[in-house]
Amino acid sequence: MNNTTLNRKAYKYALKLQMRKQYPATIIGAGKSYFKKVERSQPISPLILTNKLREKLISIGDLFSKQNGNFIGCCSEVNAANYVLLKLPYLNLNEIFSLLLLDLGQCKKSQLVKIVK
């Protein structure tokens, strides 16, 4: 797995979000071999959620309900993995790697650029 590409994508994505004054809790990279996606924590649209991922999430609880302090379907892992599954639908969920690139939950807005460099 080439983390350099994901780190570079995450850095650019974080800067773009900062310019929009958006500060998500996390930014996650996910992928399978050459295909990689960087995504942020936010609710996923039920209209684009793949069936594989929907079934897995519903096995945990209702979409967007709070379980163990987190809202199901709102994390960056779900958003990034869903994008990969939309592009590569033949994959199983366990074939997609995810990598926490930036954990911004405890950071002040002014610290964002310092963290991603």
Side-chain angles (χ1 to χ4, degrees), residues 12 15 19 37-38 43 55 69 72 92 99 110-111 113 116:
K12 289 179 181 179
L15 289 177
M19 289 172 42
K37 175 67 176 167
V38 174
E55 289 170 7
I72 296 175
N92 291 319
L99 175 65
S110 62
Q111 296 174 315
V113 174
V116 296

Side-chain angles (χ1 to χ4, degrees), residues 1-75:
M1 169 181 11
N2 185 352
N3 295 345
T4 307
T5 304
L6 281 175
N7 286 331
R8 197 172 327 118
K9 282 185 167 195
Y11 177 73
K12 289 179 181 179
Y13 189 66
L15 289 177
K16 183 172 78 173
L17 291 175
Q18 184 183 37
M19 289 172 42
R20 295 180 184 164
K21 300 197 183 311
Q22 296 175 352
Y23 304 95
T26 57
I27 295 176
I28 291 286
K32 173 66 176 171
S33 66
Y34 66 91
F35 188 83
K36 296 167 181 62
K37 175 67 176 167
V38 174
E39 212 26 278
R40 62 175 280 184
S41 51
Q42 63 184 349
I44 191 165
S45 169
L47 300 175
I48 63 165
L49 186 60
T50 63
N51 287 333
K52 288 179 191 178
L53 202 48
R54 181 188 314 274
E55 289 170 7
K56 184 64 174 177
L57 292 171
I58 289 174
S59 74
I60 299 169
D62 293 333
L63 282 178
F64 312 119
S65 66
K66 195 169 189 176
Q67 296 286 331
N68 300 318
N70 296 305
F71 290 93
I72 296 175
C74 296
C75 61

Side-chain angles (χ1 to χ4, degrees), residues 58-114:
I58 289 174
S59 74
I60 299 169
D62 293 333
L63 282 178
F64 312 119
S65 66
K66 195 169 189 176
Q67 296 286 331
N68 300 318
N70 296 305
F71 290 93
I72 296 175
C74 296
C75 61
S76 49
E77 293 92 343
V78 168
N79 285 285
N82 190 67
Y83 189 86
V84 172
L85 286 170
L86 287 171
K87 297 295 182 183
L88 305 171
Y90 58 86
L91 293 178
N92 291 319
L93 291 177
N94 63 348
E95 293 179 279
I96 301 171
F97 67 82
S98 68
L99 175 65
L100 177 62
L101 299 172
L102 301 170
D103 184 355
L104 307 175
Q106 301 300 317
C107 300
K108 295 181 179 169
K109 296 175 184 177
S110 62
Q111 296 174 315
L112 176 62
V113 174
K114 293 177 188 173

